[in-house]
Amino acid sequence: MQMDISILFSSNIFYKLSVKQGINIKYFYNHKIDSSFSELVQFASLPYRKTYIHTLGYHKRTYRIGERVAERLWYEYPEYYNSIVDIVKKNN
């Protein structure tokens, strides 16, 4: 699996910014996340076993994950979901 270089780039930028502004970084997880990031995309575990999901790396390009993101958006923020659907309909 190829690593998405943007993860390193954005993480480094935000780290440098936090140092410059004197902001202390606190980690969400106290353990190492494996390079597949599969722990972060367990949508079926929301909201009871997992309270945080984040699509990283190749998961952003996976159709199934895109569907799960859309479902969560529709479920938790229907007004935003509908707004996005309207924009896509207008532009396609």
Side-chain angles (χ1 to χ4, degrees), residues 2-65:
Q2 183 180 359
M3 181 164 187
D4 187 345
I5 193 84
S6 65
I7 294 167
L8 296 175
F9 184 71
S10 62
S11 296
N12 189 45
I13 287 174
F14 286 112
Y15 171 74
K16 298 282 187 183
L17 183 62
S18 71
V19 169
K20 184 176 182 179
Q21 294 184 359
I23 298 171
N24 187 29
I25 301 288
K26 294 181 182 177
Y27 297 98
F28 192 80
Y29 288 101
N30 293 326
H31 62 279
K32 186 177 180 180
I33 304 295
D34 70 40
S35 63
S36 73
F37 305 113
S38 59
E39 180 178 346
L40 300 178
V41 292
Q42 295 178 2
F43 287 84
S45 298
L46 286 173
Y48 304 106
R49 288 185 290 151
K50 295 279 184 187
T51 58
Y52 177 78
I53 55 172
H54 187 83
T55 56
L56 284 169
Y58 84 97
H59 294 290
K60 288 183 179 184
R61 295 180 292 277
T62 304
Y63 185 80
R64 183 181 66 81
I65 296 297

Side-chain angles (χ1 to χ4, degrees), residues 69-91:
V69 169
E71 288 169 357
R72 291 307 303 183
L73 184 62
W74 173 80
Y75 180 74
E76 295 186 34
Y77 304 98
E79 64 282 354
Y80 290 116
Y81 175 86
N82 290 327
S83 176
I84 292 168
V85 168
D86 290 342
I87 290 168
V88 169
K89 284 180 180 178
K90 284 181 187 177
N91 293 302

